[in-house]
């Protein structure tokens, strides 16, 4: 993932601009398939943790 920009708007809303990753969003997947099987949750959790790590690593002061 590439972080293109990050910051805080005038109303203190934090934002992060990253490249678009092709594929459906989580809401669409859950609506279509329902909750994931317990066996799939570690992989989903790892993907979310990787994304958060990338975002955190790009933030100022880290």
């Amino acid at each position: 993932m590439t972080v293109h920009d990050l910051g805080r708007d005038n109303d203190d809303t934090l934002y992060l601009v990253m490249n678009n990753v092709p594929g459906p969003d989580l809401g669409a997947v859950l609506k279509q398939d329902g909750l994931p099987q317990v066996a799939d949750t570690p992989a989903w959790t790892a993907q979310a943790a990787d994304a958060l790590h990338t975002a955190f690593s790009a933030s100022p002061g880290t």
Side-chain angles (χ1 to χ4, degrees):
M1 286 185 210
T2 301
V3 176
H4 298 285
D5 192 19
L6 60 108
R8 186 181 305 262
D9 282 342
N10 294 335
D11 65 354
D12 274 351
T13 300
L14 297 173
Y15 67 88
L16 181 67
V17 180
M18 298 172 64
N19 58 315
N20 185 32
V21 178
D25 65 52
L26 180 59
V29 171
L30 293 175
K31 186 174 182 179
Q32 179 180 329
D33 300 340
L35 294 175
Q37 297 294 315
V38 172
D40 294 331
T41 57
W44 286 37
T45 303
Q47 291 174 30
D50 286 344
L52 290 171
H53 173 74
T54 299
F56 179 78
S57 296
S59 62
T62 59

